[in-house]
Amino acid sequence: MRGTHTKGENPSADRHGDGPPSVDLARSVAAYTARFAPDGSFRPPSRTDRETIADGVGLLLDGHREQAEQRLAEVDFALRTVVDSSTGRRFAEVYDRVDQGPAPRGWGRVLVDLEHPVRWSVQVPHPVADQDTELLGVRVLRGAPGGLLVIAGAHRKSGEGNAADVAHRRDTVFHAICAELVRRHVPGVQLHGFAEKSAPRYDVIASTGAGEDGLTAGRRLADALGDRDFAVCRAWTRSCPLAGRDNVQGRAAADAGVPFLHVEFAPGPRTNDGQAARAAEALSFVTRAWAGSALAG
């Protein structure tokens, strides 16, 4: 994988004071998504907006922090370093300054591990709408080195039509960032949630989306989930509902031959603390394998 390391980072070099602020990433993400609602604010980004933010994230991954900040500032995005109070690890947070105003654009947020080369991503396209997938995403990010978490910036029903349903549109900031990761051959796992009545026999529906490049990872995940007493529908061996074949990030990954997992969770593994911890632990079997050499970092 090329261009996915954050070189030159110095934990004492935060330019906003004595050092990066300590934050609980879970609380921070919960506060960010607390205002998401079906009738919330969403402004479709232009192509220039999407490309500029994806370029900024790419510059950060290449270790060019100042250039990343300059590029992101062109569209009122910013970058800061935070220390996760739960793990003690440093992350870069890419955020929209407009989110602090009365009419957020809904373009999303990114957290990037600064202490290891980025080797994998966890993607949350439907925060709040798929209850607590955003918090499960934080658990996954914490579970292995070398991760990047991308969270959509609005409820999927915000805006006009399906404009904010980022799992089914290519003209979003979320997709532009995921496409940049695919270009770098960074594998990803995308988290979703389903109502119990949609698949009452299962706790988890695991799929490789539109392709089969994630099959090894999918089998590893399904086995780890099964070992933790979750009932798993394996979409590569049987017909499962909600398998995400039309997911646009999955299609982009399949076209490039990049491993991708589309994982649907029943309410329990998302909202019950003990079950969520077990689900994240199972997901770490995949992300730690993807991290590879980052584990030694």
Side-chain angles (χ1 to χ4, degrees), residues 15 23 30 36 55 82 226 256:
R15 63 186 80 168
V23 301
F36 291 7
D55 286 350
V82 298

Side-chain angles (χ1 to χ4, degrees), residues 31 78 138 154 177 223 277 279:
V138 174
I177 293 168
D223 289 345

Side-chain angles (χ1 to χ4, degrees), residues 66 70 102 122 124 137 146 194 198 204 208 233 242 288:
E66 289 189 10
Q70 292 167 6
V122 53
V124 180
F194 67 89
S198 299
V204 187
T208 58
C233 189
L242 305 170
R288 290 179 72 85

